[in-house]
Amino acid sequence: MFNQLKARFGGPLSVGIMALIAVWLIGMVILPQLLMVDYSFKPNLLPSEVGGLKDQYTLDNYATLFGNSIHLSIFFKTIWSSVLVTTLTLFVSYPLAFYLAKVATPKQAALCLLLLIIPFWINEILRTFSWYIILAYKGPLNALLLGLGLIDRPVRFLSGDGGVLIGMVYAYILFMIFPIYNAIDSLDSNQVKAARNLGAGWVRTHYRIIIPHAKPGIATGCIMTFMLAAGSYAVPALLGSPGSRWFTQIIYNWFFEGGDWNQGAAYAFLLLIICIGFIGLVMKVFKVGLGDIAR
């Protein structure tokens, strides 16, 4: 990487760029994570007790999660729901990404991309709250369905996890579309035409030609969507019911309501471990490396 920067910008500027990257990685990524890990292995003590006999490393903060059946069930539900959000977002995004890359004219693609991007100029909380209004018991969606005669009574979309799933798919769809779009756009259209001319149907063409080429983009989109969904707080807080709590809400409560940063750090670190494990699993399933994802 340094040699590429040196060839493009020269030696002094390349050193400065690498130094800024190193400062950012160390100061904003590595050190905060190490501090979180250190907090997670220590008990929550009064200021006067810090450095005393009780200030020792322990696994009690981690044992709290595995000893609390409610928190443990929410933890696994969050992981499963994040996988479901990722899957739904992939199914919604792939056809749209293919349309933008290989079917739409440049003007149509530009217009579609603009329509996708414009809503994201608004703050995430406001966009999420707009879905709260749309999905409300007496909201416009229920009014439309009642007016069309598709339902007999209003549906409580916000009573379970349905509203959270819809809100997350909408909130993170761009993080799935753009990597897949970039991957499919780099595919030579002659390969698709050749497959079609040789008698392959669209399903076989996608399975044998397009999806294998787009694997790095699909893997990148799945990783980004899963991590954003698993770490989301605003969407489940606004669209979720009391029975559909997200694990991030429990972490927030430990930090800011319970005042137990050590316990919150342990919960956050476990969530981070799961996210890292998911990244490894996706890379193994799609048979891609970090270099393929970073392209």
Side-chain angles (χ1 to χ4, degrees):
M1 180 178 179
F2 177 75
N3 292 332
Q4 294 176 345
L5 289 174
K6 185 177 179 180
R8 184 173 182 180
F9 300 108
L13 184 57
S14 299
V15 172
I17 293 174
M18 292 297 295
L20 290 174
I21 294 175
V23 170
W24 181 81
L25 286 175
I26 295 173
M28 302 297 292
V29 179
I30 298 176
L31 289 181
Q33 297 299 331
L34 292 177
L35 185 62
M36 181 184 70
V37 173
D38 182 68
Y39 267 56
S40 69
F41 285 105
K42 288 189 175 182
N44 185 34
L45 301 174
L46 296 173
S48 59
E49 296 175 322
V50 175
L53 295 176
K54 295 182 180 180
D55 192 5
Q56 297 180 0
Y57 289 106
T58 176
L59 294 174
D60 290 346
N61 294 323
Y62 293 93
T64 300
L65 173 62
F66 296 101
N68 190 318
S69 59
I70 297 177
H71 287 186
L72 193 61
S73 63
I74 294 174
F75 175 73
F76 286 116
K77 190 209 76 169
T78 299
I79 301 304
W80 161 246
S81 298
S82 299
V83 173
L84 183 58
V85 168
T86 303
T87 304
L88 292 174
T89 308
L90 175 60
F91 279 113
V92 172
S93 302
Y94 179 83
L96 184 55
F98 175 76
Y99 170 79
L100 292 172
K102 296 301 179 185
V103 179
T105 64
K107 289 185 178 180
Q108 291 173 337
L111 177 60
C112 188
L113 288 172
L114 185 63
L115 292 176
L116 286 170
I117 293 173
I118 285 178
F120 287 81
W121 293 352
I122 305 172
N123 182 273
E124 180 184 358
I125 295 178
L126 294 178
R127 286 188 281 113
T128 304
F129 191 72
S130 68
W131 275 106
Y132 180 85
I133 296 173
I134 293 171
L135 299 174
Y137 185 72
K138 294 185 178 180
L141 180 58
N142 269 319
L144 176 63
L145 295 177
L146 287 170
L148 295 175
L150 298 177
I151 56 176
D152 297 327
R153 64 184 69 180
V155 178
R156 297 189 180 275
F157 293 105
L158 301 176
S159 62
D161 293 327
V164 177
L165 296 178
I166 293 172
M168 284 194 175
V169 170
Y170 171 77
Y172 307 129
I173 190 171
L174 289 186
F175 296 95
M176 183 72 77
I177 286 179
F178 282 135
I180 299 176
Y181 165 74
N182 289 331
I184 296 178
D185 189 53
S186 64
L187 174 65
D188 188 353
S189 299
N190 290 324
Q191 295 186 41
V192 179
K193 292 179 182 179
R196 296 290 291 157
N197 291 336
L198 291 172
W202 275 115
V203 174
R204 188 173 180 83
T205 301
H206 279 275
Y207 177 72
R208 297 295 299 272
I209 304 296
I210 301 172
I211 293 179
H213 182 84
K215 283 196 301 182
I218 295 174
T220 302
C222 289
I223 289 171
M224 295 176 67
T225 303
F226 175 84
M227 295 189 69
L228 289 169
S232 177
Y233 176 80
V235 176
L238 289 174
L239 299 180
S241 63
S244 60
R245 297 181 70 193
W246 219 251
F247 195 64
T248 48
Q249 294 174 279
I250 299 177
I251 296 174
Y252 178 90
N253 290 339
W254 278 121
F255 273 104
F256 299 106
E257 294 183 9
D260 193 341
W261 284 39
N262 304 85
Q263 189 66 68
Y267 277 33
F269 184 62
L270 286 172
L271 185 61
L272 175 63
I273 292 297
I274 292 296
C275 290
I276 294 174
F278 181 82
I279 293 174
L281 178 63
V282 170
M283 292 172 59
K284 185 174 182 179
V285 169
F286 288 95
K287 298 179 181 179
V288 296
L290 289 175
D292 298 320
I293 295 175
R295 282 188 302 181

